[in-house]
Amino acid sequence: MPRLTLTFLITLPALALLVTGCSLGYYAQAVSGHLSLTSGARPIDEVLADPNTSPEVAAKLRTARTARAFASAELGLPDNDSYRRYAEVQRSHVVWNVVATPEFSLTPKSWCFAFSGCVNYKGYFSREQAEQQAAELARSGYDVQVSGSQAYSTLGWTDDPLLSTMIARPDVDLASVIFHELAHQKLYVKNDTAFNESFAETVAREGVRRWLQANDRADELTAFKRREDRRQQFDALLLETRRQLAAVYREPGDAPAKRAAKRQVFEQLKHAYAELKDQWGGYGGYDGWMNRPLNNAHLSLVATYNDLIPAFEALLQREGGDLTRFYSAAKGLAGQPPATRHAELKSLLPKPTLAEGKQAAANAAP
């Protein structure tokens, strides 16, 4: 499945502050939700020693323990108590994130928080509260999406627990989310969601490849590479849909005409996905995502997570695959103004060939 849910970021000192667009009530639900989980978390070794722990949970906890140790020893990620304690969530997701865009724009609405800065989503520990927020935004004319997330991060302010929602996924996804969340603790830049998520996802993907190789899980590594190839193809399809929608929204015309053109683009997306599934031999790993009523908000997440990943991968390659040097280079970029850091990252990408340039120009033409 595509990683299209955003990491919910909270910091406990934020409880005492009022920030533009938010109230103490919002912070209260965030902090109380976090504390309700951490207060019941137990060390993984203690849970493994408990005779009431099921064999299935025990197996996942051993996998998580191995991945967590690998994260610090081999990936250079923070060596703290995060993900070394376990908490039962008792629900399908730990948080629900609200994403909103204007009806004729792909630029997501942002919310600003103390310490973590401005982000393109708003997270809730209660699905009901998330859906209430989404309904308010929809009444104001926004396209909205509510998506559940299996994990969240406090950016190192507290030791985040391993959650039952995290271990419910396959081993590769479990390791990936641990690496992703710890990468947020390694480097986080205020007010730049695309930079933060692309950096963390690059670390997660590279981390999974190295973890599988180190543990002689060759079959899973082959499956992971195949899944990554499909993910890239699916992401490319969504990014092309974004390009088509952006062209629709740039064109002059009244709201009904743009609305009709927008519906047509989403219908084309469905047909293109059906063709892609045929190429995959019927693989339907993205059916759940595609079968929802789609709108701009869904596509805004694609850019947030994927725009800078190729550039970060190029940066890692430039540093010879050395993660220490990669982190240092990324930290240097983080100190630059946003436009500069993005431009420097994208300058690392291979220059398109003449044929590719002509095709890009043709695609950009109205």
Side-chain angles (χ1 to χ4, degrees), residues 20-186:
T20 302
C22 296
S23 67
L24 281 176
Y26 174 77
Y27 284 119
Q29 68 85 28
V31 174
S32 64
H34 175 69
L35 293 179
S36 70
L37 294 175
T38 57
S39 63
R42 294 190 293 161
I44 288 178
D45 288 346
E46 179 183 314
V47 180
L48 287 172
D50 188 337
N52 293 317
T53 300
S54 71
E56 294 78 14
V57 169
K60 287 292 185 179
L61 291 181
R62 283 190 287 269
T63 297
R65 186 172 59 182
T66 300
R68 179 63 185 85
F70 187 87
S72 295
E74 303 298 333
L75 303 180
L77 294 172
D79 189 6
N80 54 32
D81 284 338
S82 288
Y83 311 114
R84 289 190 164 111
R85 295 177 304 137
Y86 176 68
E88 289 282 350
V89 176
Q90 304 297 333
R91 54 183 185 268
S92 61
H93 297 90
V94 61
V95 293
W96 286 265
N97 296 303
V98 180
V99 178
T101 61
E103 183 181 7
F104 301 125
S105 171
L106 293 161
T107 302
K109 175 180 172 61
S110 66
W111 286 270
C112 296
F113 306 94
F115 299 94
S116 59
C118 298
V119 293
N120 299 334
Y121 54 91
K122 192 175 183 183
Y124 292 86
F125 279 91
S126 162
R127 181 172 185 170
E128 181 181 4
Q129 288 180 314
E131 290 180 342
Q132 287 174 353
Q133 172 73 93
E136 289 179 17
L137 290 164
R139 285 193 292 270
S140 299
Y142 284 94
D143 281 10
V144 296
Q145 180 198 15
V146 176
S147 59
S149 182
Q150 65 198 60
Y152 67 97
S153 174
T154 59
L155 299 179
W157 282 94
T158 67
D159 295 320
D160 298 324
L162 183 74
L163 305 172
S164 55
T165 49
M166 296 166 65
I167 70 167
R169 304 294 299 276
D171 285 358
V172 165
D173 293 333
L174 172 56
S176 177
V177 74
I178 290 173
F179 300 155
H180 184 104
E181 304 306 343
L182 287 171
H184 280 310
Q185 295 186 21
K186 183 75 175 182

Side-chain angles (χ1 to χ4, degrees), residues 3 14 42 58 74 110 154 178 190 198 201 216 239 244 255 262 277 309-310 320 342 346 358:
R3 185 183 171 87
R42 294 190 293 161
E74 303 298 333
S110 66
T154 59
I178 290 173
K190 278 188 177 184
S198 293
E201 191 64 9
D216 296 322
L239 290 171
Q244 294 173 5
K262 177 181 176 181
K277 281 183 63 177
I309 288 177
H342 285 226
K346 290 181 178 180
K358 289 181 179 179

Side-chain angles (χ1 to χ4, degrees), residues 178-211:
I178 290 173
F179 300 155
H180 184 104
E181 304 306 343
L182 287 171
H184 280 310
Q185 295 186 21
K186 183 75 175 182
L187 179 63
Y188 180 83
V189 182
K190 278 188 177 184
N191 308 323
D192 198 339
T193 304
F195 182 94
N196 294 324
E197 296 300 339
S198 293
F199 168 78
E201 191 64 9
T202 300
V203 173
R205 294 182 188 184
E206 180 64 19
V208 167
R209 283 190 285 268
R210 297 187 185 197
W211 180 67

